[in-house]
PDB file of all heavy atoms in Angstrom:
ATOM      1  N   ALA A  10       0.831  -1.206   0.000  1.00  0.00           N
ATOM      2  CA  ALA A  10       0.000   0.000   0.000  1.00  0.00           C
ATOM      3  C   ALA A  10       0.864   1.253   0.000  1.00  0.00           C
ATOM      4  O   ALA A  10       0.560   2.233  -0.695  1.00  0.00           O
ATOM      5  CB  ALA A  10      -0.934  -0.011   1.211  1.00  0.00           C
ATOM      6  N   GLN A  11       1.949   1.230   0.755  1.00  0.00           N
ATOM      7  CA  GLN A  11       2.844   2.379   0.823  1.00  0.00           C
ATOM      8  C   GLN A  11       3.553   2.592  -0.513  1.00  0.00           C
ATOM      9  O   GLN A  11       3.623   3.722  -1.013  1.00  0.00           O
ATOM     10  CB  GLN A  11       3.876   2.151   1.936  1.00  0.00           C
ATOM     11  CG  GLN A  11       4.682   3.380   2.307  1.00  0.00           C
ATOM     12  CD  GLN A  11       3.929   4.315   3.229  1.00  0.00           C
ATOM     13  OE1 GLN A  11       2.944   3.916   3.840  1.00  0.00           O
ATOM     14  NE2 GLN A  11       4.370   5.556   3.312  1.00  0.00           N
ATOM     15  N   LEU A  12       4.060   1.530  -1.104  1.00  0.00           N
ATOM     16  CA  LEU A  12       4.809   1.663  -2.351  1.00  0.00           C
ATOM     17  C   LEU A  12       3.909   2.042  -3.518  1.00  0.00           C
ATOM     18  O   LEU A  12       4.305   2.816  -4.393  1.00  0.00           O
ATOM     19  CB  LEU A  12       5.530   0.348  -2.663  1.00  0.00           C
ATOM     20  CG  LEU A  12       6.644  -0.071  -1.704  1.00  0.00           C
ATOM     21  CD1 LEU A  12       7.185  -1.451  -2.082  1.00  0.00           C
ATOM     22  CD2 LEU A  12       7.768   0.954  -1.693  1.00  0.00           C
ATOM     23  N   ALA A  13       2.704   1.467  -3.569  1.00  0.00           N
ATOM     24  CA  ALA A  13       1.794   1.697  -4.695  1.00  0.00           C
ATOM     25  C   ALA A  13       0.830   2.843  -4.448  1.00  0.00           C
ATOM     26  O   ALA A  13       0.003   3.139  -5.317  1.00  0.00           O
ATOM     27  CB  ALA A  13       1.007   0.417  -4.990  1.00  0.00           C
ATOM     28  N   GLU A  14       0.918   3.482  -3.266  1.00  0.00           N
ATOM     29  CA  GLU A  14      -0.012   4.550  -2.896  1.00  0.00           C
ATOM     30  C   GLU A  14      -1.449   4.065  -3.037  1.00  0.00           C
ATOM     31  O   GLU A  14      -2.319   4.732  -3.615  1.00  0.00           O
ATOM     32  CB  GLU A  14       0.231   5.808  -3.740  1.00  0.00           C
ATOM     33  CG  GLU A  14       1.617   6.397  -3.540  1.00  0.00           C
ATOM     34  CD  GLU A  14       1.837   7.668  -4.335  1.00  0.00           C
ATOM     35  OE1 GLU A  14       0.946   8.021  -5.144  1.00  0.00           O
ATOM     36  OE2 GLU A  14       2.869   8.312  -4.148  1.00  0.00           O
ATOM     37  N   ALA A  15      -1.697   2.875  -2.496  1.00  0.00           N
ATOM     38  CA  ALA A  15      -3.010   2.243  -2.561  1.00  0.00           C
ATOM     39  C   ALA A  15      -3.697   2.339  -1.205  1.00  0.00           C
ATOM     40  O   ALA A  15      -3.072   2.624  -0.180  1.00  0.00           O
ATOM     41  CB  ALA A  15      -2.870   0.780  -2.975  1.00  0.00           C
ATOM     42  N   GLY A  16      -5.000   2.090  -1.202  1.00  0.00           N
ATOM     43  CA  GLY A  16      -5.737   2.026   0.036  1.00  0.00           C
ATOM     44  C   GLY A  16      -5.443   0.737   0.778  1.00  0.00           C
ATOM     45  O   GLY A  16      -4.938  -0.235   0.208  1.00  0.00           O
ATOM     46  N   ALA A  17      -5.755   0.717   2.063  1.00  0.00           N
ATOM     47  CA  ALA A  17      -5.506  -0.468   2.896  1.00  0.00           C
ATOM     48  C   ALA A  17      -6.668  -0.654   3.852  1.00  0.00           C
ATOM     49  O   ALA A  17      -7.185   0.315   4.414  1.00  0.00           O
ATOM     50  CB  ALA A  17      -4.191  -0.329   3.666  1.00  0.00           C
ATOM     51  N   LEU A  18      -7.058  -1.909   4.042  1.00  0.00           N
ATOM     52  CA  LEU A  18      -8.147  -2.250   4.954  1.00  0.00           C
ATOM     53  C   LEU A  18      -7.716  -3.454   5.787  1.00  0.00           C
ATOM     54  O   LEU A  18      -7.458  -4.530   5.243  1.00  0.00           O
ATOM     55  CB  LEU A  18      -9.420  -2.565   4.169  1.00  0.00           C
ATOM     56  CG  LEU A  18     -10.654  -3.000   4.965  1.00  0.00           C
ATOM     57  CD1 LEU A  18     -11.038  -1.949   5.996  1.00  0.00           C
ATOM     58  CD2 LEU A  18     -11.815  -3.295   4.024  1.00  0.00           C
ATOM     59  N   VAL A  19      -7.613  -3.262   7.094  1.00  0.00           N
ATOM     60  CA  VAL A  19      -7.254  -4.320   8.034  1.00  0.00           C
ATOM     61  C   VAL A  19      -8.474  -4.573   8.904  1.00  0.00           C
ATOM     62  O   VAL A  19      -8.904  -3.679   9.646  1.00  0.00           O
ATOM     63  CB  VAL A  19      -6.040  -3.922   8.899  1.00  0.00           C
ATOM     64  CG1 VAL A  19      -5.703  -5.025   9.889  1.00  0.00           C
ATOM     65  CG2 VAL A  19      -4.841  -3.599   8.017  1.00  0.00           C
ATOM     66  N   GLY A  20      -9.070  -5.765   8.797  1.00  0.00           N
ATOM     67  CA  GLY A  20     -10.321  -6.020   9.488  1.00  0.00           C
ATOM     68  C   GLY A  20     -10.308  -7.277  10.321  1.00  0.00           C
ATOM     69  O   GLY A  20      -9.491  -8.183  10.109  1.00  0.00           O
ATOM     70  N   GLY A  21     -11.229  -7.332  11.275  1.00  0.00           N
ATOM     71  CA  GLY A  21     -11.380  -8.517  12.111  1.00  0.00           C
ATOM     72  C   GLY A  21     -12.367  -8.230  13.225  1.00  0.00           C
ATOM     73  O   GLY A  21     -12.737  -7.077  13.474  1.00  0.00           O
ATOM     74  N   TYR A  22     -12.808  -9.289  13.903  1.00  0.00           N
ATOM     75  CA  TYR A  22     -13.641  -9.091  15.085  1.00  0.00           C
ATOM     76  C   TYR A  22     -12.799  -8.557  16.235  1.00  0.00           C
ATOM     77  O   TYR A  22     -13.278  -7.770  17.050  1.00  0.00           O
ATOM     78  CB  TYR A  22     -14.308 -10.405  15.482  1.00  0.00           C
ATOM     79  CG  TYR A  22     -15.295 -10.917  14.461  1.00  0.00           C
ATOM     80  CD1 TYR A  22     -15.096 -12.135  13.825  1.00  0.00           C
ATOM     81  CD2 TYR A  22     -16.418 -10.178  14.119  1.00  0.00           C
ATOM     82  CE1 TYR A  22     -15.996 -12.614  12.884  1.00  0.00           C
ATOM     83  CE2 TYR A  22     -17.321 -10.640  13.178  1.00  0.00           C
ATOM     84  CZ  TYR A  22     -17.101 -11.861  12.561  1.00  0.00           C
ATOM     85  OH  TYR A  22     -17.989 -12.316  11.637  1.00  0.00           O
ATOM     86  N   ALA A  23     -11.560  -8.986  16.319  1.00  0.00           N
ATOM     87  CA  ALA A  23     -10.620  -8.478  17.313  1.00  0.00           C
ATOM     88  C   ALA A  23      -9.634  -7.538  16.616  1.00  0.00           C
ATOM     89  O   ALA A  23      -9.663  -7.368  15.401  1.00  0.00           O
ATOM     90  CB  ALA A  23      -9.895  -9.635  17.994  1.00  0.00           C
ATOM     91  N   ARG A  24      -8.760  -6.931  17.396  1.00  0.00           N
ATOM     92  CA  ARG A  24      -7.762  -6.022  16.831  1.00  0.00           C
ATOM     93  C   ARG A  24      -6.406  -6.335  17.436  1.00  0.00           C
ATOM     94  O   ARG A  24      -6.282  -6.478  18.661  1.00  0.00           O
ATOM     95  CB  ARG A  24      -8.127  -4.559  17.100  1.00  0.00           C
ATOM     96  CG  ARG A  24      -7.173  -3.564  16.452  1.00  0.00           C
ATOM     97  CD  ARG A  24      -7.511  -2.132  16.827  1.00  0.00           C
ATOM     98  NE  ARG A  24      -8.848  -1.740  16.389  1.00  0.00           N
ATOM     99  CZ  ARG A  24      -9.385  -0.543  16.631  1.00  0.00           C
ATOM    100  NH1 ARG A  24      -8.701   0.350  17.335  1.00  0.00           N
ATOM    101  NH2 ARG A  24     -10.592  -0.269  16.189  1.00  0.00           N
ATOM    102  N   THR A  25      -5.407  -6.432  16.606  1.00  0.00           N
ATOM    103  CA  THR A  25      -4.055  -6.686  17.079  1.00  0.00           C
ATOM    104  C   THR A  25      -3.404  -5.390  17.568  1.00  0.00           C
ATOM    105  O   THR A  25      -3.852  -4.287  17.245  1.00  0.00           O
ATOM    106  CB  THR A  25      -3.200  -7.288  15.963  1.00  0.00           C
ATOM    107  OG1 THR A  25      -3.160  -6.358  14.852  1.00  0.00           O
ATOM    108  CG2 THR A  25      -3.766  -8.613  15.476  1.00  0.00           C
ATOM    109  N   ALA A  26      -2.332  -5.546  18.325  1.00  0.00           N
ATOM    110  CA  ALA A  26      -1.565  -4.375  18.749  1.00  0.00           C
ATOM    111  C   ALA A  26      -0.969  -3.665  17.541  1.00  0.00           C
ATOM    112  O   ALA A  26      -0.826  -2.432  17.537  1.00  0.00           O
ATOM    113  CB  ALA A  26      -0.469  -4.801  19.723  1.00  0.00           C
ATOM    114  N   GLU A  27      -0.625  -4.434  16.512  1.00  0.00           N
ATOM    115  CA  GLU A  27      -0.101  -3.817  15.287  1.00  0.00           C
ATOM    116  C   GLU A  27      -1.159  -2.964  14.605  1.00  0.00           C
ATOM    117  O   GLU A  27      -0.873  -1.872  14.103  1.00  0.00           O
ATOM    118  CB  GLU A  27       0.394  -4.898  14.331  1.00  0.00           C
ATOM    119  CG  GLU A  27       1.686  -5.577  14.739  1.00  0.00           C
ATOM    120  CD  GLU A  27       1.512  -6.634  15.817  1.00  0.00           C
ATOM    121  OE1 GLU A  27       0.350  -6.923  16.192  1.00  0.00           O
ATOM    122  OE2 GLU A  27       2.528  -7.173  16.299  1.00  0.00           O
ATOM    123  N   GLY A  28      -2.413  -3.458  14.583  1.00  0.00           N
ATOM    124  CA  GLY A  28      -3.489  -2.656  14.031  1.00  0.00           C
ATOM    125  C   GLY A  28      -3.735  -1.397  14.841  1.00  0.00           C
ATOM    126  O   GLY A  28      -3.994  -0.317  14.290  1.00  0.00           O
ATOM    127  N   GLN A  29      -3.669  -1.511  16.163  1.00  0.00           N
ATOM    128  CA  GLN A  29      -3.846  -0.347  17.016  1.00  0.00           C
ATOM    129  C   GLN A  29      -2.739   0.674  16.791  1.00  0.00           C
ATOM    130  O   GLN A  29      -2.989   1.893  16.823  1.00  0.00           O
ATOM    131  CB  GLN A  29      -3.874  -0.779  18.484  1.00  0.00           C
ATOM    132  CG  GLN A  29      -4.095   0.349  19.476  1.00  0.00           C
ATOM    133  CD  GLN A  29      -5.447   1.010  19.328  1.00  0.00           C
ATOM    134  OE1 GLN A  29      -6.386   0.404  18.800  1.00  0.00           O
ATOM    135  NE2 GLN A  29      -5.570   2.240  19.791  1.00  0.00           N
ATOM    136  N   LEU A  30      -1.528   0.216  16.549  1.00  0.00           N
ATOM    137  CA  LEU A  30      -0.419   1.136  16.279  1.00  0.00           C
ATOM    138  C   LEU A  30      -0.684   1.942  15.010  1.00  0.00           C
ATOM    139  O   LEU A  30      -0.356   3.139  14.943  1.00  0.00           O
ATOM    140  CB  LEU A  30       0.888   0.355  16.153  1.00  0.00           C
ATOM    141  CG  LEU A  30       2.154   1.188  15.938  1.00  0.00           C
ATOM    142  CD1 LEU A  30       2.421   2.064  17.158  1.00  0.00           C
ATOM    143  CD2 LEU A  30       3.360   0.291  15.671  1.00  0.00           C
ATOM    144  N   LEU A  31      -1.279   1.318  13.999  1.00  0.00           N
ATOM    145  CA  LEU A  31      -1.624   2.047  12.776  1.00  0.00           C
ATOM    146  C   LEU A  31      -2.593   3.177  13.078  1.00  0.00           C
ATOM    147  O   LEU A  31      -2.498   4.265  12.494  1.00  0.00           O
ATOM    148  CB  LEU A  31      -2.240   1.093  11.753  1.00  0.00           C
ATOM    149  CG  LEU A  31      -1.371  -0.056  11.238  1.00  0.00           C
ATOM    150  CD1 LEU A  31      -2.181  -0.943  10.299  1.00  0.00           C
ATOM    151  CD2 LEU A  31      -0.136   0.473  10.536  1.00  0.00           C
ATOM    152  N   VAL A  32      -3.535   2.931  13.991  1.00  0.00           N
ATOM    153  CA  VAL A  32      -4.517   3.955  14.352  1.00  0.00           C
ATOM    154  C   VAL A  32      -3.869   5.061  15.168  1.00  0.00           C
ATOM    155  O   VAL A  32      -4.061   6.259  14.900  1.00  0.00           O
ATOM    156  CB  VAL A  32      -5.683   3.318  15.132  1.00  0.00           C
ATOM    157  CG1 VAL A  32      -6.640   4.386  15.659  1.00  0.00           C
ATOM    158  CG2 VAL A  32      -6.440   2.335  14.247  1.00  0.00           C
ATOM    159  N   GLU A  33      -3.074   4.697  16.171  1.00  0.00           N
ATOM    160  CA  GLU A  33      -2.496   5.693  17.072  1.00  0.00           C
ATOM    161  C   GLU A  33      -1.459   6.568  16.386  1.00  0.00           C
ATOM    162  O   GLU A  33      -1.274   7.729  16.777  1.00  0.00           O
ATOM    163  CB  GLU A  33      -1.887   4.997  18.292  1.00  0.00           C
ATOM    164  CG  GLU A  33      -2.924   4.342  19.196  1.00  0.00           C
ATOM    165  CD  GLU A  33      -2.342   3.853  20.496  1.00  0.00           C
ATOM    166  OE1 GLU A  33      -1.155   4.150  20.782  1.00  0.00           O
ATOM    167  OE2 GLU A  33      -3.065   3.161  21.250  1.00  0.00           O
ATOM    168  N   THR A  34      -0.777   6.038  15.379  1.00  0.00           N
ATOM    169  CA  THR A  34       0.200   6.856  14.657  1.00  0.00           C
ATOM    170  C   THR A  34      -0.444   7.691  13.566  1.00  0.00           C
ATOM    171  O   THR A  34       0.239   8.508  12.933  1.00  0.00           O
ATOM    172  CB  THR A  34       1.279   5.963  14.020  1.00  0.00           C
ATOM    173  OG1 THR A  34       0.662   4.994  13.160  1.00  0.00           O
ATOM    174  CG2 THR A  34       2.089   5.248  15.093  1.00  0.00           C
ATOM    175  N   GLY A  35      -1.741   7.500  13.316  1.00  0.00           N
ATOM    176  CA  GLY A  35      -2.423   8.259  12.284  1.00  0.00           C
ATOM    177  C   GLY A  35      -2.283   7.693  10.895  1.00  0.00           C
ATOM    178  O   GLY A  35      -2.783   8.293   9.931  1.00  0.00           O
ATOM    179  N   TRP A  36      -1.613   6.544  10.765  1.00  0.00           N
ATOM    180  CA  TRP A  36      -1.441   5.950   9.430  1.00  0.00           C
ATOM    181  C   TRP A  36      -2.776   5.463   8.896  1.00  0.00           C
ATOM    182  O   TRP A  36      -3.024   5.491   7.692  1.00  0.00           O
ATOM    183  CB  TRP A  36      -0.437   4.800   9.501  1.00  0.00           C
ATOM    184  CG  TRP A  36       0.072   4.347   8.176  1.00  0.00           C
ATOM    185  CD1 TRP A  36       1.178   4.808   7.515  1.00  0.00           C
ATOM    186  CD2 TRP A  36      -0.491   3.325   7.337  1.00  0.00           C
ATOM    187  NE1 TRP A  36       1.335   4.152   6.325  1.00  0.00           N
ATOM    188  CE2 TRP A  36       0.323   3.231   6.180  1.00  0.00           C
ATOM    189  CE3 TRP A  36      -1.592   2.486   7.440  1.00  0.00           C
ATOM    190  CZ2 TRP A  36       0.071   2.339   5.151  1.00  0.00           C
ATOM    191  CZ3 TRP A  36      -1.856   1.593   6.404  1.00  0.00           C
ATOM    192  CH2 TRP A  36      -1.035   1.521   5.271  1.00  0.00           C
ATOM    193  N   ALA A  37      -3.659   5.015   9.773  1.00  0.00           N
ATOM    194  CA  ALA A  37      -4.978   4.520   9.377  1.00  0.00           C
ATOM    195  C   ALA A  37      -6.031   5.085  10.311  1.00  0.00           C
ATOM    196  O   ALA A  37      -5.731   5.527  11.432  1.00  0.00           O
ATOM    197  CB  ALA A  37      -5.017   2.989   9.401  1.00  0.00           C
ATOM    198  N   ARG A  38      -7.277   5.051   9.842  1.00  0.00           N
ATOM    199  CA  ARG A  38      -8.407   5.506  10.642  1.00  0.00           C
ATOM    200  C   ARG A  38      -9.226   4.298  11.062  1.00  0.00           C
ATOM    201  O   ARG A  38      -9.406   3.367  10.269  1.00  0.00           O
ATOM    202  CB  ARG A  38      -9.263   6.466   9.817  1.00  0.00           C
ATOM    203  CG  ARG A  38     -10.488   7.002  10.563  1.00  0.00           C
ATOM    204  CD  ARG A  38     -11.281   7.946   9.685  1.00  0.00           C
ATOM    205  NE  ARG A  38     -12.479   8.422  10.360  1.00  0.00           N
ATOM    206  CZ  ARG A  38     -13.370   9.232   9.811  1.00  0.00           C
ATOM    207  NH1 ARG A  38     -13.180   9.653   8.560  1.00  0.00           N
ATOM    208  NH2 ARG A  38     -14.436   9.617  10.487  1.00  0.00           N
ATOM    209  N   GLU A  39      -9.716   4.312  12.302  1.00  0.00           N
ATOM    210  CA  GLU A  39     -10.507   3.177  12.735  1.00  0.00           C
ATOM    211  C   GLU A  39     -11.941   3.299  12.227  1.00  0.00           C
ATOM    212  O   GLU A  39     -12.503   4.394  12.138  1.00  0.00           O
ATOM    213  CB  GLU A  39     -10.477   3.026  14.251  1.00  0.00           C
ATOM    214  CG  GLU A  39     -11.165   4.109  15.029  1.00  0.00           C
ATOM    215  CD  GLU A  39     -11.172   3.798  16.515  1.00  0.00           C
ATOM    216  OE1 GLU A  39     -10.710   2.717  16.917  1.00  0.00           O
ATOM    217  OE2 GLU A  39     -11.651   4.651  17.295  1.00  0.00           O
ATOM    218  N   VAL A  40     -12.512   2.156  11.873  1.00  0.00           N
ATOM    219  CA  VAL A  40     -13.902   2.071  11.434  1.00  0.00           C
ATOM    220  C   VAL A  40     -14.616   1.170  12.431  1.00  0.00           C
ATOM    221  O   VAL A  40     -14.397  -0.044  12.447  1.00  0.00           O
ATOM    222  CB  VAL A  40     -14.009   1.510   9.999  1.00  0.00           C
ATOM    223  CG1 VAL A  40     -15.467   1.346   9.592  1.00  0.00           C
ATOM    224  CG2 VAL A  40     -13.274   2.411   9.014  1.00  0.00           C
ATOM    225  N   VAL A  41     -15.438   1.767  13.282  1.00  0.00           N
ATOM    226  CA  VAL A  41     -16.135   1.040  14.333  1.00  0.00           C
ATOM    227  C   VAL A  41     -17.599   1.469  14.345  1.00  0.00           C
ATOM    228  O   VAL A  41     -17.953   2.546  13.869  1.00  0.00           O
ATOM    229  CB  VAL A  41     -15.500   1.282  15.721  1.00  0.00           C
ATOM    230  CG1 VAL A  41     -14.078   0.749  15.766  1.00  0.00           C
ATOM    231  CG2 VAL A  41     -15.517   2.770  16.059  1.00  0.00           C
ATOM    232  N   ALA A  42     -18.448   0.619  14.899  1.00  0.00           N
ATOM    233  CA  ALA A  42     -19.867   0.935  15.029  1.00  0.00           C
ATOM    234  C   ALA A  42     -20.099   1.773  16.280  1.00  0.00           C
ATOM    235  O   ALA A  42     -19.322   1.712  17.243  1.00  0.00           O
ATOM    236  CB  ALA A  42     -20.687  -0.345  15.094  1.00  0.00           C
ATOM    237  N   ASP A  43     -21.184   2.564  16.273  1.00  0.00           N
ATOM    238  CA  ASP A  43     -21.507   3.289  17.498  1.00  0.00           C
ATOM    239  C   ASP A  43     -22.143   2.324  18.500  1.00  0.00           C
ATOM    240  O   ASP A  43     -22.557   1.220  18.172  1.00  0.00           O
ATOM    241  CB  ASP A  43     -22.415   4.489  17.212  1.00  0.00           C
ATOM    242  CG  ASP A  43     -23.720   4.101  16.535  1.00  0.00           C
ATOM    243  OD1 ASP A  43     -24.325   3.091  16.936  1.00  0.00           O
ATOM    244  OD2 ASP A  43     -24.135   4.808  15.596  1.00  0.00           O
ATOM    245  N   ARG A  44     -22.237   2.761  19.750  1.00  0.00           N
ATOM    246  CA  ARG A  44     -22.640   1.867  20.827  1.00  0.00           C
ATOM    247  C   ARG A  44     -24.088   1.401  20.677  1.00  0.00           C
ATOM    248  O   ARG A  44     -24.430   0.276  21.056  1.00  0.00           O
ATOM    249  CB  ARG A  44     -22.474   2.563  22.181  1.00  0.00           C
ATOM    250  CG  ARG A  44     -21.051   2.983  22.502  1.00  0.00           C
ATOM    251  CD  ARG A  44     -20.053   1.853  22.385  1.00  0.00           C
ATOM    252  NE  ARG A  44     -20.290   0.759  23.307  1.00  0.00           N
ATOM    253  CZ  ARG A  44     -19.533  -0.328  23.383  1.00  0.00           C
ATOM    254  NH1 ARG A  44     -18.496  -0.468  22.554  1.00  0.00           N
ATOM    255  NH2 ARG A  44     -19.805  -1.284  24.247  1.00  0.00           N
ATOM    256  N   ALA A  45     -24.964   2.239  20.109  1.00  0.00           N
ATOM    257  CA  ALA A  45     -26.369   1.833  19.966  1.00  0.00           C
ATOM    258  C   ALA A  45     -26.486   0.652  19.008  1.00  0.00           C
ATOM    259  O   ALA A  45     -27.205  -0.319  19.278  1.00  0.00           O
ATOM    260  CB  ALA A  45     -27.206   3.014  19.483  1.00  0.00           C
ATOM    261  N   VAL A  46     -25.783   0.729  17.887  1.00  0.00           N
ATOM    262  CA  VAL A  46     -25.807  -0.369  16.922  1.00  0.00           C
ATOM    263  C   VAL A  46     -25.155  -1.607  17.531  1.00  0.00           C
ATOM    264  O   VAL A  46     -25.633  -2.738  17.363  1.00  0.00           O
ATOM    265  CB  VAL A  46     -25.102   0.038  15.620  1.00  0.00           C
ATOM    266  CG1 VAL A  46     -24.985  -1.156  14.669  1.00  0.00           C
ATOM    267  CG2 VAL A  46     -25.835   1.181  14.951  1.00  0.00           C
ATOM    268  N   LEU A  47     -24.064  -1.396  18.266  1.00  0.00           N
ATOM    269  CA  LEU A  47     -23.364  -2.520  18.886  1.00  0.00           C
ATOM    270  C   LEU A  47     -24.266  -3.258  19.873  1.00  0.00           C
ATOM    271  O   LEU A  47     -24.310  -4.493  19.893  1.00  0.00           O
ATOM    272  CB  LEU A  47     -22.107  -2.013  19.588  1.00  0.00           C
ATOM    273  CG  LEU A  47     -21.218  -3.065  20.258  1.00  0.00           C
ATOM    274  CD1 LEU A  47     -20.714  -4.062  19.236  1.00  0.00           C
ATOM    275  CD2 LEU A  47     -20.052  -2.405  20.975  1.00  0.00           C
ATOM    276  N   ARG A  48     -25.003  -2.514  20.682  1.00  0.00           N
ATOM    277  CA  ARG A  48     -25.893  -3.161  21.654  1.00  0.00           C
ATOM    278  C   ARG A  48     -26.984  -3.972  20.958  1.00  0.00           C
ATOM    279  O   ARG A  48     -27.388  -5.032  21.446  1.00  0.00           O
ATOM    280  CB  ARG A  48     -26.513  -2.105  22.567  1.00  0.00           C
ATOM    281  CG  ARG A  48     -25.575  -1.581  23.643  1.00  0.00           C
ATOM    282  CD  ARG A  48     -26.334  -0.782  24.676  1.00  0.00           C
ATOM    283  NE  ARG A  48     -26.855   0.461  24.096  1.00  0.00           N
ATOM    284  CZ  ARG A  48     -26.200   1.617  24.089  1.00  0.00           C
ATOM    285  NH1 ARG A  48     -24.984   1.684  24.622  1.00  0.00           N
ATOM    286  NH2 ARG A  48     -26.737   2.689  23.558  1.00  0.00           N
ATOM    287  N   ALA A  49     -27.439  -3.483  19.808  1.00  0.00           N
ATOM    288  CA  ALA A  49     -28.501  -4.197  19.095  1.00  0.00           C
ATOM    289  C   ALA A  49     -28.000  -5.469  18.429  1.00  0.00           C
ATOM    290  O   ALA A  49     -28.773  -6.398  18.201  1.00  0.00           O
ATOM    291  CB  ALA A  49     -29.129  -3.270  18.054  1.00  0.00           C
ATOM    292  N   ARG A  50     -26.726  -5.522  18.109  1.00  0.00           N
ATOM    293  CA  ARG A  50     -26.179  -6.665  17.362  1.00  0.00           C
ATOM    294  C   ARG A  50     -25.479  -7.698  18.240  1.00  0.00           C
ATOM    295  O   ARG A  50     -25.229  -8.825  17.797  1.00  0.00           O
ATOM    296  CB  ARG A  50     -25.174  -6.143  16.319  1.00  0.00           C
ATOM    297  CG  ARG A  50     -25.775  -5.262  15.237  1.00  0.00           C
ATOM    298  CD  ARG A  50     -26.400  -6.075  14.127  1.00  0.00           C
ATOM    299  NE  ARG A  50     -25.400  -6.849  13.420  1.00  0.00           N
ATOM    300  CZ  ARG A  50     -24.692  -6.374  12.380  1.00  0.00           C
ATOM    301  NH1 ARG A  50     -24.892  -5.146  11.942  1.00  0.00           N
ATOM    302  NH2 ARG A  50     -23.801  -7.141  11.774  1.00  0.00           N
TER     303      ARG A  50
END
């Protein structure tokens, strides 16, 4: 993704520390549901 200037999507029910590092450094944005939807599902 870095070399080709492409988009990147890292997904799962859980999240790794490596995925969290991408979010905290600003390299990626987290995509999460709001709490109301989460409670319903």
